[in-house]
Amino acid sequence: MKEYGVIVIGGGHAGCEAAHAAARAGVKTLLITMRKESIGQMSCNPAIGGIGKSHLAREVDALDGLMCKTADNSALQRRTLNSRKGPAVRATRIQTCRDAYKQNMQAYINNREELDVLEASVTSLIIDGNTTRGVITDDGRKYYSISVIMTVGTFLGGKIHIGEKSFSAGRAGDKASNDLEKFFFEHPFKIGRLKTGTPPRIKKHSINFSRLEIQHSEIGQPHISYLYDHYGLASKNINQIPCHITYTNKEAHEIIKDSKKLSPMYNGKINSIGPRYCPSIEDKVERFEDKESHQIFLEPETSSDIEIYPNGLSTSLPEEIQQKFLRTIQGLENCEISKPGYAIEYSYFDPRSLENTLETKYIKNLFFAGQINGTTGYEEAAAQGILAGINASLKFKNKEMWCPTRKEAYLGVLVDDLVTRGVMEPYRMFTSRAEYRLRLREDNADERLTEKGFEMGIVSGLRLNLFKKKMDKISLESSRLEKILIQPESKVSHYLKDQLGVTLKRAQSLKNLLKMSNIRYEDITKLDCFGKTVNSDIGHLVANNERYSGYLKKQEEEVHLLEQQQGMVIPEELKYEEIRGLSNEAIEKLSKIKPKNIGQASRVSGVTPSIISLLRIHLKKCSFK
Ligand code: FAD
C-alpha cells in the first residue's frame, strides 16, 4: 500500500487549501472526500471576502493559496466595503457563481502534481501509541501517512432541522460523519455542539425586480487576489450580474413571531449556539423587537442566474411558513422556493486542545482545521487549512513548524484566539479582533507573508517574482514623488489651495503631500508637476504607505514594548502548582493550555493581571528566560 506524506480528510475550504499547500511543498498528498463532485462547495452564501474575512482571504492568497484566485475567476459582482474609511478596515467582497467557483477549485485540485484525490468516507484513524499513522475508510481500506489533517466541517454528527422535521446530514444532500465522530469519543478531546443555518433559495423567475433597488458591481471592479489586483494579470471574466435590495416588514415579523413554537430554535429541539453575527430571521425578530424591517440582499447564485440567495433570511421554520412570510416582502409577492432554508447542528472540537500549529495535543501528527475548530466561514476555514497544510509539510521535512504572530497576520490572531480562549459561539473574524490593524491591511498581506511562504516552499518562484516587481514599482514611484518639489508661491501651490484647501508654508515634495488625509494619489496626478509615471497602478499603495508611516512607526514602538513585556517565555515543564498565590482555577487553566509566553497567558480567559504578575515574578525568580 502506497504511503503518503499527508492525508487530508474533507474537500471543503479548509481541505482544499491544506491539500494543495502540502502538495505545493512537494509532499505526496491524498485528499479524501465524500463526494468529488462537491469539492470546493460553498455551503451557504456564494461570496468570498467582506470585512475581516477579506483580510484572511488575502493572507491565504499571499501564501499562494487558492481561495482568492478562484473567487476572482468566478465573480458575478465585485465591491469594496468601507471604501470611505481608512485602508485598515477596507475590504473586498466578491459575489461568485457557485458552480464556477466549484469548477475552478476542482481544476486546481485535480491538476496539482503530488496530489491524489479519493472519493470515500473516513470512519476512523489509524493510531500507533499517541501518533496517527493514517485513516480507515468506510469500505475497510487503510491509507497510511505521516500526518493527517481533518477538515470535515459541519459533518461530525450533523443534524438538519426544518420546522418539526429533523434528520441526520452533513449539510443538505450529504451524509453526516457519525462513525468518525464516535471514533473521537474514545479519545480525550472535548467535543461540543454548535449550530448554523441557511436561507431558502428562491426561483428567479418568480421575483418581481421592477420595484426593487438595484446594486451593480463597483466601477473599477476590485479584485481580491494579488495576481489580478496588484500584480497586473488578467482574471477570467464571466457575466456581471447585479444584486437587488428589499426589506422585511411588520406582517412578515408577525408571521415569524406567531410561528415561534414551530421553530426548532425556540421549541427546545436546538439548544446549541449559533453565529451571533449572522443570526436567523427568527433571532432578528426576537432580538430587535423595535425594528420594523430588516434589509435583505437578493443575490445571484450562479451565472445561469436561475436561483436567488436572499441574504439575511436564514431560517429553520417549516417550509410553508418560509413561503408565507417571504410572500409578504416587496418583490417576493409571488415567489417560489427552490430549496427551503434549514438549521444544522454539528459537533466541534474545543480548539484549546490544539497547538498554535493546529496539531492536536492528544494525538501527534494529527491536525484539525476549519469549522471543526469552532469557527464559521469559508475564509476562516481556508486560513486554518493553509496553515495546517504548511505545518504538515514542514513536519514531513523535519523542519520547525510555523504560526504567524498576532502582529504579522490575521491568521495569527485567529489561531491565537482559538487556542488560548476557545470558543463560546461560532468564531468569525472581525478587524476589531486585531490589535495591530494598521499593520495588517488587506493591501499588504503579501508584504507580510509571501517571502516567508517562499522560504517554506509553498509559494512559487513565479509568484515571488511578481511580488518583487510590485515592491520595486512601489519604491520607484515613491522615490520619484520624493524628488518633485512644490514651492509655496508656485502655480501648483495656488491650485492646491483653491482646489484642495491646502496651504503650503514651505517647499513640499509630492510624497509628503500624500501624508495629508485629504489628498489622494488621484489628486496629485492632476498637478502640472506630476510628470509621467509608468507605475500609476500602484500609486494608491504608495499613498497608503505614506499616510500611515507615522502611525506605523508609533505602533512599531508600542509593539516592541509589548513584546518585551509579553515575550517572556514560559517553559513547557513549568509546574503551575508550585507558584505561590495562584488559585486552583488558574493552575488548572494554565496547566491545560500551557501558554508559550506571558502574552499568550494573559489572553487565556479568566487570567487576570494579578495572576500574570505572580507568574512573571516566579519566572524571574527561577531565572527562566
Ligand atoms: P466544509 O466546507 O463543510 O467541508 C467539509 C468537507 O469534509 C466536505 O467536503 C465533506 O464532504 C468532507 N467530509 C466530511 N466528513 C467526511 C468523512 N468522514 N470522510 C471524507 N470526507 C468527509 N459560513 C458563513 O461564513 N456564513 C454563513 O452564513 C454560513 N452559513 C452556513 C450554513 C450552512 C447550512 C452550513 C452547512 C454552513 C454555513 N457556513 C456559513 C459555514 C461555512 O460553510 C463553513 O464555515 C465552511 O464551509 C467550513 O469549511 P470547512 O472546510 O471547514 O468544511
Side-chain angles (χ1 to χ4, degrees):
M1 169 95 26
K2 190 164 164 185
E3 179 161 337
Y4 287 89
V6 177
I7 290 178
V8 176
I9 315 172
H13 305 275
C16 287
E17 297 293 350
H20 205 267
R24 282 203 303 284
V27 179
K28 191 81 197 151
T29 301
L30 175 65
L31 171 65
I32 307 182
T33 193
M34 277 185 179
R35 287 195 297 134
K36 281 187 183 177
E37 189 277 326
S38 66
I39 287 177
Q41 176 146 321
M42 299 173 121
S43 314
C44 194
N45 184 0
I48 297 295
I51 298 160
K53 289 169 168 274
S54 71
H55 292 70
L56 278 173
R58 284 238 169 178
E59 290 175 0
V60 171
D61 189 63
L63 293 166
D64 225 351
L66 308 174
M67 168 166 267
C68 291
K69 47 192 185 188
T70 308
D72 274 337
N73 287 315
S74 329
L76 292 179
Q77 186 173 111
R78 306 166 180 282
R79 301 196 74 74
T80 308
L81 310 183
N82 277 349
S83 57
R84 292 204 198 113
K85 296 190 179 164
V89 294
R90 229 170 266 164
T92 312
R93 182 176 188 272
I94 309 289
Q95 182 77 28
T96 71
C97 163
R98 182 189 295 287
D99 296 344
Y101 188 93
K102 219 161 59 165
Q103 278 158 17
N104 287 328
M105 184 60 86
Q106 288 175 14
Y108 284 123
I109 296 294
N110 294 333
N111 297 326
R112 180 70 232 178
E113 280 169 34
E114 304 291 346
L115 179 55
D116 293 344
V117 180
L118 173 76
E119 187 168 272
S121 185
V122 172
T123 49
S124 58
L125 304 186
I126 305 165
I127 305 286
D128 179 2
N130 65 348
T131 304
T132 179
R133 290 273 170 248
V135 303
I136 304 174
T137 53
D138 47 355
D139 53 7
R141 284 176 201 245
K142 292 183 175 169
Y143 297 85
Y144 291 92
S145 63
I146 303 297
S147 292
V148 173
I149 304 176
M150 204 165 97
T151 69
V152 295
T154 50
F155 286 62
L156 282 186
K159 192 172 187 191
I160 284 185
H161 299 268
I162 309 174
E164 288 178 302
K165 281 191 278 182
S166 54
F167 50 93
S168 164
R171 65 184 163 207
D174 282 304
K175 279 197 280 183
S177 265
N178 294 330
D179 290 339
L180 194 55
E181 185 192 30
K182 268 187 217 136
F183 169 83
F184 281 98
F185 288 154
E186 287 156 25
H187 292 86
F189 293 94
K190 195 170 158 210
I191 299 175
R193 299 284 282 172
L194 290 171
K195 76 146 173 75
T196 187
T198 196
R201 307 305 197 264
I202 304 174
K203 293 181 186 167
K204 185 176 181 186
H205 72 83
S206 69
I207 300 178
N208 177 4
F209 290 102
S210 62
R211 289 165 64 211
L212 300 182
E213 201 180 313
I214 191 162
Q215 190 184 51
H216 289 287
S217 237
E218 192 175 297
I219 302 163
Q221 299 275 322
H223 283 73
I224 194 165
S225 166
Y226 287 106
L227 292 181
Y228 312 119
D229 182 358
H230 297 190
Y231 303 166
L233 306 188
S235 67
K236 266 192 239 166
N237 239 342
I238 58 177
N239 257 349
Q240 299 292 297
I241 303 178
C243 295
H244 289 80
I245 298 172
T246 186
Y247 297 87
T248 59
N249 51 45
K250 271 184 169 172
E251 196 186 342
H253 294 188
E254 285 309 316
I255 296 173
I256 292 165
K257 271 191 218 158
D258 290 348
S259 315
K260 234 170 82 175
K261 59 180 182 310
L262 302 174
S263 167
M265 267 174 318
Y266 290 95
N267 63 14
K269 275 176 93 178
I270 301 183
N271 292 315
S272 29
I273 300 170
R276 187 157 41 106
Y277 313 102
C278 192
S280 65
I281 188 67
E282 295 94 294
D283 264 342
K284 285 197 258 191
V285 169
E286 169 93 5
R287 273 168 43 192
F288 311 107
E289 219 179 333
D290 309 340
K291 260 192 119 176
E292 291 190 354
S293 69
H294 295 280
Q295 194 175 44
I296 306 300
F297 287 92
L298 297 177
E299 300 176 338
E301 282 251 307
T302 60
S303 54
S304 60
D305 202 20
I306 46 173
E307 254 185 350
I308 294 291
Y309 177 97
N311 194 347
L313 283 181
S314 164
T315 179
S316 58
L317 284 165
E319 188 172 349
E320 57 284 7
I321 307 289
Q322 298 184 22
Q323 177 90 57
K324 197 170 161 196
F325 78 71
L326 281 174
R327 286 192 171 183
T328 68
I329 296 174
Q330 185 162 18
L332 306 184
E333 294 83 353
N334 297 308
C335 76
E336 292 166 27
I337 290 178
S338 53
K339 293 179 198 111
Y342 65 88
I344 180 162
E345 275 188 296
Y346 57 92
S347 297
Y348 78 101
F349 295 100
D350 182 340
R352 287 172 294 185
S353 63
L354 298 173
E355 303 288 354
N356 67 357
T357 55
L358 298 185
E359 187 180 17
T360 71
K361 289 178 179 169
Y362 308 126
I363 301 179
K364 279 198 179 145
N365 296 15
L366 173 64
F367 296 78
F368 287 166
Q371 188 123 357
I372 53 164
N373 290 336
T375 59
T376 176
Y378 308 137
E379 301 79 0
E380 287 80 354
Q384 294 170 65
I386 203 164
L387 182 66
I390 290 170
N391 282 328
S393 74
L394 290 171
K395 183 148 219 184
F396 179 83
K397 295 175 184 173
N398 278 325
K399 290 191 178 162
E400 195 183 336
M401 292 194 277
W402 172 77
C403 180
T405 62
R406 295 180 76 92
K407 71 169 188 182
E408 285 171 323
Y410 273 87
L411 174 53
V413 174
L414 169 77
V415 172
D416 187 57
D417 281 351
L418 291 177
V419 305
T420 54
R421 294 186 180 160
V423 297
M424 301 293 286
E425 59 183 337
Y427 178 105
R428 70 150 282 182
M429 185 48 78
F430 293 104
T431 51
S432 56
R433 295 198 193 267
E435 51 277 60
Y436 308 120
R437 32 179 212 271
L438 278 186
R439 296 168 61 104
L440 308 185
R441 302 193 309 267
E442 192 195 77
D443 66 44
N444 68 3
D446 55 349
E447 293 176 37
R448 296 180 271 117
L449 296 171
T450 297
E451 282 176 320
K452 180 70 192 167
F454 182 73
E455 269 171 42
M456 294 186 297
I458 54 142
V459 166
S460 70
L462 180 74
R463 189 174 186 115
L464 184 73
N465 281 338
L466 288 167
F467 162 69
K468 285 190 168 161
K469 274 191 195 152
K470 164 187 148 176
M471 296 313 289
D472 288 346
K473 281 163 103 184
I474 291 181
S475 87
L476 274 176
E477 186 61 0
S478 179
S479 49
R480 191 185 80 83
L481 296 178
E482 196 167 14
K483 288 183 200 131
I484 304 174
L485 289 179
I486 308 170
Q487 299 300 331
E489 285 308 320
S490 62
K491 208 173 129 194
V492 177
S493 159
H494 289 301
Y495 174 89
L496 279 176
K497 188 167 183 191
D498 294 346
Q499 299 296 318
L500 299 164
V502 173
T503 310
L504 298 187
K505 293 200 175 113
R506 54 191 163 80
Q508 291 279 7
S509 70
L510 284 190
K511 185 169 155 181
N512 252 350
L513 281 189
L514 290 174
K515 288 196 169 52
M516 299 180 187
S517 59
N518 53 337
I519 298 192
R520 294 164 310 157
Y521 183 78
E522 296 82 81
D523 297 323
I524 65 163
T525 61
K526 293 179 193 141
L527 303 179
D528 284 347
C529 59
F530 179 75
K532 275 204 172 126
T533 178
V534 282
N535 296 321
S536 61
D537 57 327
I538 46 83
H540 62 286
L541 298 175
V542 178
N544 285 351
N545 286 347
E546 283 317 306
R547 181 147 316 144
Y548 290 100
S549 59
Y551 299 110
L552 281 170
K553 205 166 153 231
K554 206 164 155 228
Q555 201 172 66
E556 208 62 54
E557 287 161 9
E558 280 168 19
V559 168
H560 186 66
L561 201 74
L562 214 75
E563 269 177 358
Q564 280 184 334
Q565 291 166 356
Q566 303 209 330
M568 188 184 241
V569 173
I570 305 176
E572 216 187 321
E573 65 278 10
L574 178 70
K575 294 197 167 54
Y576 287 94
E577 60 278 14
E578 288 176 2
I579 303 178
R580 283 181 61 189
L582 223 53
S583 67
N584 285 342
E585 192 193 347
I587 293 170
E588 197 184 316
K589 274 190 176 155
L590 291 165
S591 312
K592 194 167 162 208
I593 297 195
K594 288 191 183 299
K596 294 201 170 6
N597 53 43
I598 288 286
Q600 205 188 0
S602 65
R603 291 187 292 276
V604 173
S605 75
V607 171
T608 59
S610 62
I611 296 175
I612 292 298
S613 158
L614 290 172
L615 192 53
R616 287 180 59 173
I617 293 168
H618 182 81
L619 290 173
K620 273 192 192 150
K621 218 165 56 190
C622 305
S623 64
F624 287 126
K625 292 249 161 75

